């Protein structure tokens, strides 16, 4: 195990030496391809925004460059190999930026944000970009017609982000939808849903920004990759804020996520640490807003569905007919390709945590038997599900959590603190506890009577 240092470089002539500390492995991340084109999807993102008539700020570009460092470290440093507890890594980043003093002032917020998000120990440093890259943003061509976008919304290909997009479009808004083109299954879902929205809202000028960011497998010499991707939402948020800095006005980046998943309370005492993600947790989002304030960015991130269950989101969708038509193309499953070992294509397994919440939500919104999603395990009651295998683990955990809360309802207010501090949300504690209880009750109707036992 070693501490890992990832230091960015702007081109082959950027040879500033970044000394490695004791027991620290240093890797330089080249950010430029060719003469002056930014690599790792950043140049493509700039071109896409320019074509939309949007000119992001240099600080916005810095944020995307920082996200490249975070994403590279998160996906290319094996937890099993580089941590003492098989989870917590020690990572230091040195990032070239346009305004190093401003970023250094914001470093404590960033470190707190990333430590909470990924469960690692992050240390961030910043230095000035080389003079040749002092400015990397090319203004969009002058136009008599301003861009039409009045808001931004994350668009992952999941059911929640689909509902968020439909609600905006049905309300007459013109959003710029923000996507990260990651694995093929998610990208395919994003493409299908975007096409479906375009076909329905033909008069709207809404568009989409898609940014792909990948790194070679052997980026860190002698170190294997990591697939837990706990830092992925940092990239997702960064793309949205990057675009927001070019809108020319105060902006809101909407992050559509149901309250149960946002809180992600551990269902049983074993579901801590590596098993509990914090991608839209209220504390994490509050730190993002602190960061934007510290950087002087006139915008905020906001989850409009923080107090709703997934079923409430679906039943409250402003265009229920379109949601019913497109929902089957949305992707909720945590591992939609695992059926390939059975000769199956990409489909929902039906028994992972997000699949169970999805099934329960659509049953609550539309009634039993009206969800057209194809699930590998189509009938949860057809057989006894093994709690030592994936098919039964989450169901048993839900059943445990529901029974515990039924016996001690007052535990809800305590349990919502398990994934992390809610100090910034004291005004909403009762509502957060209530959405947790309602979310569990929604899933409880689905898993009631499902038989589980160890093999």
């Amino acid at each position: 195990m070693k501490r890992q240092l990832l230091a960015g470089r702007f081109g082959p002539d950027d040879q500033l030496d970044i000394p490695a500390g004791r027991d620290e492995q240093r890797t330089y991340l080249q950010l430029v391809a060719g003469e002056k084109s930014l690599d790792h999807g950043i140049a493509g993102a700039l071109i896409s925004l320019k074509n939309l008539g949007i000119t992001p700020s240099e600080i916005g570009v810095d944020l995307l460059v920082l996200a490249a460092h975070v994403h590279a470290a998160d996906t290319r440093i094996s937890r099993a190999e580089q941590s003492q507890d098989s989870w917590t890594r020690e990572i230091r980043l040195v990032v070239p930026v346009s305004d190093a003093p401003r970023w250094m002032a914001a470093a404590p917020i960033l470190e707190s944000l990333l430590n909470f998000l990924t469960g690692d120990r992050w240390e961030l440093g910043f230095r000035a970009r080389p003079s040749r890259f002092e400015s990397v943003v090319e203004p969009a061509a002058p136009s008599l017609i301003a861009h039409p976008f009045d808001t931004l919304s994350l668009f992952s290909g999941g059911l929640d982000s689909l509902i968020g997009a439909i609600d905006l479009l049905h309300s007459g808004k013109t959003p710029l939808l923000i996507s990260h083109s990651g694995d093929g299954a998610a990208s395919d879902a994003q493409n299908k849903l975007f096409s479906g929205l375009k076909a329905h809202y033909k008069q709207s000028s809404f568009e989409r920004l898609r940014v792909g960011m990948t790194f070679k497998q052997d980026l860190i010499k002698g170190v294997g990759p990591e697939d837990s991707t706990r830092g992925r939402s940092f990239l997702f948020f960064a793309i949205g804020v990057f675009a927001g800095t070019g809108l020319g006005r105060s902006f809101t980046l909407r992050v559509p996520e149901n309250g149960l998943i946002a809180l992600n309370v551990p269902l049983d005492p074993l579901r801590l640490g590596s098993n509990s993600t914090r991608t839209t947790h209220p504390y994490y989002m509050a730190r993002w807003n602190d960061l934007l304030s510290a950087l002087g960015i006139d915008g905020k991130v906001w989850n409009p569905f923080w107090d709703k269950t997934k079923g409430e989101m679906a039943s409250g969708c402003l265009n229920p007919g379109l949601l019913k038509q497109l929902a089957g193309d949305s992707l909720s499953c945590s591992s939609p390709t695992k059926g390939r070992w059975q000769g199956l294509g990409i489909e929902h397994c039906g028994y992972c945590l997000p699949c169970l919440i999805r099934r329960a939500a659509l049953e609550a919104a539309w009634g039993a038997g009206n969800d057209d999603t194809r699930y590998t395990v189509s009938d949860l009651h057809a057989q006894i599900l093994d709690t030592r295998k994936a098919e039964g683990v989450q169901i048993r955990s839900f059943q445990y959590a529901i029974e515990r809360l039924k016996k001690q309802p007052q535990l809800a207010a305590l349990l919502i603190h398990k994934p992390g501090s809610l100090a910034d949300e004291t005004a909403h504690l009762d509502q957060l506890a209530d959405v947790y209880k309602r979310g569990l009750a929604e899933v409880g109707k689905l898993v009631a009577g499902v038989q589980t036992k160890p093999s």
Side-chain angles (χ1 to χ4, degrees), residues 121-280:
R121 295 174 184 167
W122 295 83
E123 180 182 343
L124 273 68
F126 298 92
R127 67 176 179 92
R129 297 178 195 161
S131 57
R132 189 161 71 93
F133 293 91
E134 186 175 354
S135 175
V136 297
V137 178
E138 295 182 11
S143 174
L144 296 176
I145 303 175
H147 70 75
F149 311 112
D150 50 22
T151 192
L152 306 110
S153 190
L154 297 190
F155 191 67
S156 65
L159 186 64
D160 289 8
S161 69
L162 171 62
I163 294 170
I166 289 175
D167 282 1
L168 284 172
L169 290 164
H170 199 76
S171 299
K173 296 290 187 181
T174 308
L176 177 60
L177 303 178
I178 305 297
S179 298
H180 170 237
S181 55
D183 63 81
S187 292
D188 187 48
Q190 291 165 13
N191 291 336
K192 288 179 179 178
L193 295 178
F194 184 71
S195 296
L197 292 172
K198 274 291 184 184
H200 188 84
Y201 295 102
K202 296 177 182 177
Q203 304 305 314
S204 176
S205 300
F206 79 97
E207 282 296 342
R208 176 173 55 144
L209 172 65
R210 293 183 77 225
V211 178
M213 188 174 285
T214 57
F215 303 91
K216 60 183 182 180
Q217 289 286 318
D218 59 348
L219 176 67
I220 314 294
K221 289 186 179 179
V223 175
E226 174 62 38
D227 62 4
S228 59
T229 59
R230 285 299 186 265
R232 181 170 50 189
S233 79
F234 186 85
L235 172 60
F236 214 174
F237 281 43
I239 296 170
V241 172
F242 157 75
T245 63
L247 292 188
R249 62 175 75 93
S250 179
F251 67 88
T252 296
L253 173 63
R254 294 165 60 99
V255 184
E257 186 77 271
N258 70 84
L260 183 63
I261 283 288
L263 286 170
N264 206 16
V265 177
L267 296 176
D268 60 54
L270 298 179
R271 283 191 59 84
L272 292 170
S274 63
N275 288 322
S276 293
T277 59
R278 296 162 167 175
T279 55
T280 53

Side-chain angles (χ1 to χ4, degrees), residues 6 23 28 34 39 59 71 141 184 186 208 214 232 243 245 254 257 309 311 325 366 374 391 403 406 412 422 434 444:
L6 197 61
D23 296 327
Y28 286 111
D39 204 356
I59 289 290
H71 195 55
R208 176 173 55 144
T214 57
R232 181 170 50 189
T245 63
R254 294 165 60 99
E257 186 77 271
T309 70
Q325 176 187 328
W366 300 341
R374 179 184 174 90
E391 289 87 346
E403 281 301 312
K406 191 180 296 182
L422 286 169
D434 192 51

